[in-house]
Amino acid sequence: MPTYKLVYFNVRGLAEHSRLIFAVAGVPYEDFRIERDQWPNEYKEQCPFGQLPFLEVDGKVLAQSKAIARYLAREFKLTGKCSWEQGLTDMIVDEFSDILSEMRFYWYESDPEKKAALNEKFNTETLPKHLGYLENILKQNGGGEGFIVGDSLTWADLAVANSNDWLRLVCPNPFDNFPLLTGLIKRVRETPQVAEWIAKRPDTPR
């Protein structure tokens, strides 16, 4: 088996999706966490694009958080049972990338009034729109009582569950009006491997 080392800051952030994939797969890896003051001088030059996270696989380096998660999901058979399901899981994960892109407008705004306006728009318009799309997709898959794609857990379900953490940075209760997604998150978090990881992972603010 290859040797894996996942390098990121000591937060959940952009590495947590991959950590959840490792947890579900039951594959050992080094969860290597650095402090931000270590980053510029000790690790930045190791990164192909000068940013974290990156994954070492037997010494070879892979960067970009979504590329890392997709690679691991493929390796551990968590992308769906056929090429169509694989396309659907990609679609779901990419939708969360779109949501994250919308959030960045808020994060990088320095003017307090503009920031408040962006937050209001995100919480009342942008986020409900995107979560509504996902709620409908989940409902179309057997009524929404199972998984978001197919009949088994995939990296797309882990993306949904993981989003509940980072969306709360700007919206206290992002899934309140989406009962099927709320149920899916609960089912994923109660999966034994996921529950075990959540119980033992470092307690970080985000």
Side-chain angles (χ1 to χ4, degrees):
M1 179 180 290
T3 299
Y4 299 100
K5 179 179 180 179
L6 182 61
V7 181
Y8 193 55
F9 300 113
N10 187 27
V11 294
R12 294 187 295 275
L14 295 175
E16 195 65 14
H17 193 188
S18 290
R19 293 175 183 137
L20 288 166
I21 292 169
F22 273 121
V24 168
V27 173
Y29 72 106
E30 183 179 359
D31 182 17
F32 192 82
R33 298 172 183 241
I34 66 171
E35 300 303 324
R36 292 193 179 272
D37 59 0
Q38 296 177 279
W39 163 240
N41 298 322
E42 298 181 44
Y43 295 99
K44 191 170 185 178
E45 290 186 358
Q46 299 180 36
C47 306
F49 302 110
Q51 60 190 22
L52 293 178
F54 67 85
L55 176 71
E56 290 185 7
V57 184
D58 290 338
K60 297 179 290 186
V61 175
L62 182 66
Q64 297 289 355
S65 58
K66 190 161 60 174
I68 293 167
R70 181 179 289 110
Y71 166 78
L72 294 172
R74 287 172 176 166
E75 287 293 292
F76 306 149
K77 313 301 182 188
L78 292 171
T79 57
K81 295 181 178 178
C82 63
S83 57
W84 180 250
E85 286 190 3
Q86 289 166 4
L88 291 176
T89 61
D90 281 346
M91 177 183 76
I92 299 302
V93 174
D94 285 346
E95 172 68 359
F96 281 105
S97 295
D98 288 347
I99 295 173
L100 186 59
S101 294
E102 295 279 0
M103 284 177 64
R104 288 194 171 110
F105 290 108
Y106 164 80
W107 282 336
Y108 296 138
E109 179 55 61
S110 58
D111 181 273
E113 290 187 6
K114 291 180 180 179
K115 194 178 186 74
L118 287 170
N119 181 263
E120 176 70 15
K121 182 178 180 181
F122 181 81
N123 285 330
T124 61
E125 298 179 26
T126 306
L127 184 59
K129 176 184 71 175
H130 285 285
L131 295 184
Y133 296 152
L134 292 164
E135 182 92 348
N136 288 334
I137 290 168
L138 177 55
K139 185 176 182 178
Q140 290 166 15
N141 189 35
E145 299 301 319
F147 303 99
I148 199 163
V149 174
D151 60 3
S152 61
L153 183 73
T154 67
W155 75 310
D157 300 296
L158 296 175
V160 175
N162 185 48
S163 74
N164 192 44
D165 283 344
W166 54 263
L167 284 172
R168 288 176 183 273
L169 296 173
V170 295
C171 181
N173 301 293
F175 292 94
D176 270 4
N177 296 318
F178 303 95
L180 296 180
L181 289 170
T182 298
L184 174 61
I185 292 167
K186 184 175 185 293
R187 290 191 295 277
V188 171
R189 290 175 67 91
E190 289 176 349
T191 300
Q193 304 97 312
V194 174
E196 180 183 0
W197 168 247
I198 290 173
K200 73 179 184 181
R201 68 186 177 187
D203 185 12
T204 59
R206 60 184 180 89

